[in-house]
Amino acid sequence: MPFTVDAVPHLPTGFGDTFTSRTVDVDGVELHAVVGGTGPALLLLLPAWPQFWYGWRLVMPALAEHFTVVAADMRGMGASSKPATGYDAVTLADEMTGLMTSLGHDHFHVAGYDMGMMVGYVLAARHRDRVTRLVLAEAVLAGFTPMPPLLMPPEANELAWHFVFNRLAEINERMVSGREEIYFGHQFATKAASPEAIPQTAVDVYVDALRDPAALHASFEFYRAGESGDQVVALAAEGPLDIPVLAIGGEYGMRDGVEQAVRQVASDTSGAVAPGAAHFLPEEAPGWMARTLIDFFV
């Protein structure tokens, strides 16, 4: 499966009538995005780990009524190229900026959650003349979110153990290869508000994408790129963002922890908590997420 609009299953009715897949070359890396909508404002959606653009599918039709939507696959994800290296936050953010340039968009809003939250912040901090408004959701911000200890209470360990595991040099790939449905299925079952919150049909799509050895390798490279944390701290030292920023946590996820972190790097920050949701906000609370983004960006 190529993981483009015309290939993935279980999309909302009429999705393919609004959205199409686009692929552009940015400095030798083929980057894929799903583009649609007719609104005058431009909105870049950044994906979560271990997902790709498909994680935004339930929110995109409502957003497309107000914006031209670009749901991107960062390198290593979905239908984008999967090089062996280059997964630090600055590289990822600059490539997303290059994607928007190639698509003809100079100024745009950005929304990112999980991995997309860090990349969204770095993109806005490095390209302050291009990002107009920013939504950051459901992730830690390196250097500004308190890090848990290595030995945690069992309930916290269930949620956060993957941070250490994913950074290992090689053994993680060997252990997960051929067992992708066990490892990644566990991520979706334990980080959502309930084990059934993300339908098995969607989990199967994500797992299928990660069976590609290059995609599996990339999924760990995002965490092995330890320089990303230093990049976040260095950009924050240049001064806070002055654009409007909305920080979102899930009621059963990070709650107001996202807002507390983001307020340290953005002077015009507001916060929101997604009711009934944990981590995977665009899938656990798509209606609430769509309304919240529209209210903030319009």
Side-chain angles (χ1 to χ4, degrees), residues 111-135:
Y113 88 105
D114 187 82
M115 184 66 64
M117 172 173 152
M118 177 179 68
V119 176
Y121 166 72
V122 171
L123 193 163
R126 281 179 61 80
H127 304 278
R128 297 180 185 232
D129 59 331
R130 300 192 63 180
V131 177
T132 47
R133 281 179 171 250
L134 178 64
V135 169

Side-chain angles (χ1 to χ4, degrees), residues 90 118 142-143 225-236:
V90 164
M118 177 179 68
E227 64 268 35
S228 293
D230 294 335
Q231 292 168 349
V232 168
V233 172
L235 286 166

Side-chain angles (χ1 to χ4, degrees), residues 2-298:
F3 306 105
T4 51
V5 165
D6 57 344
V8 291
H10 310 297
L11 291 172
T13 302
F15 193 93
D17 297 330
T18 301
F19 295 99
T20 58
S21 281
R22 297 279 304 276
T23 301
V24 300
D25 183 290
V26 177
D27 297 328
V29 177
E30 294 293 313
L31 296 175
H32 169 259
V34 176
V35 181
T38 57
L42 304 166
L43 174 56
L44 172 63
L45 301 176
L46 299 177
W49 178 95
Q51 300 176 292
F52 56 103
W53 72 263
Y54 189 76
W56 287 101
R57 71 195 180 284
L58 302 180
V59 181
M60 291 167 65
L63 296 178
E65 297 178 7
H66 300 268
F67 314 103
T68 298
V69 176
V70 179
D73 286 336
M74 295 185 286
R75 69 160 61 197
M77 293 179 168
S80 287
S81 295
K82 299 168 181 66
T85 58
Y87 291 89
D88 62 283
V90 164
T91 297
L92 297 171
D94 286 355
E95 287 179 346
M96 290 294 98
T97 308
L99 168 71
M100 295 301 279
T101 299
S102 296
L103 293 174
H105 306 319
D106 293 327
H107 303 95
F108 45 90
H109 305 320
V110 177
Y113 88 105
D114 187 82
M115 184 66 64
M117 172 173 152
M118 177 179 68
V119 176
Y121 166 72
V122 171
L123 193 163
R126 281 179 61 80
H127 304 278
R128 297 180 185 232
D129 59 331
R130 300 192 63 180
V131 177
T132 47
R133 281 179 171 250
L134 178 64
V135 169
L136 303 175
E138 266 302 306
V140 300
L141 189 61
F144 298 92
T145 302
M147 291 293 103
L150 181 61
L151 298 177
M152 297 174 282
E155 63 276 8
N157 194 63
E158 283 289 330
L159 294 174
W161 69 278
H162 70 288
F163 279 95
V164 176
F165 180 81
N166 286 357
R167 296 185 69 181
L168 298 175
E170 177 191 10
I171 189 65
N172 44 14
E173 288 181 48
R174 293 170 58 194
M175 293 177 69
V176 174
S177 179
R179 306 174 185 87
E180 292 86 357
E181 71 282 0
I182 298 174
Y183 179 61
F184 294 108
H186 179 79
Q187 298 298 316
F188 289 106
T190 57
K191 291 178 176 57
S194 70
E196 301 81 24
I198 309 300
Q200 187 61 46
T201 53
V203 174
D204 289 344
V205 171
Y206 298 128
V207 169
D208 191 38
L210 290 157
R211 293 189 194 282
D212 175 3
L216 181 64
H217 172 77
S219 75
F220 294 126
E221 284 296 302
F222 291 117
Y223 288 82
R224 291 168 179 154
E227 64 268 35
S228 293
D230 294 335
Q231 292 168 349
V232 168
V233 172
L235 286 166
E238 296 178 5
L241 300 179
D242 58 8
I243 57 173
V245 180
L246 176 62
I248 304 175
E251 179 183 4
Y252 302 111
M254 294 195 65
R255 299 179 294 278
D256 63 353
V258 181
E259 180 184 358
Q260 291 174 12
V262 172
R263 283 192 178 278
Q264 299 176 74
V265 299
S267 58
D268 185 6
T269 296
S270 55
V273 174
H279 182 65
F280 300 102
L281 303 183
E283 289 172 288
E284 293 185 70
W288 182 92
M289 195 70 172
R291 290 190 301 274
T292 299
L293 295 186
I294 292 167
D295 289 345
F296 178 70
F297 285 128
V298 170

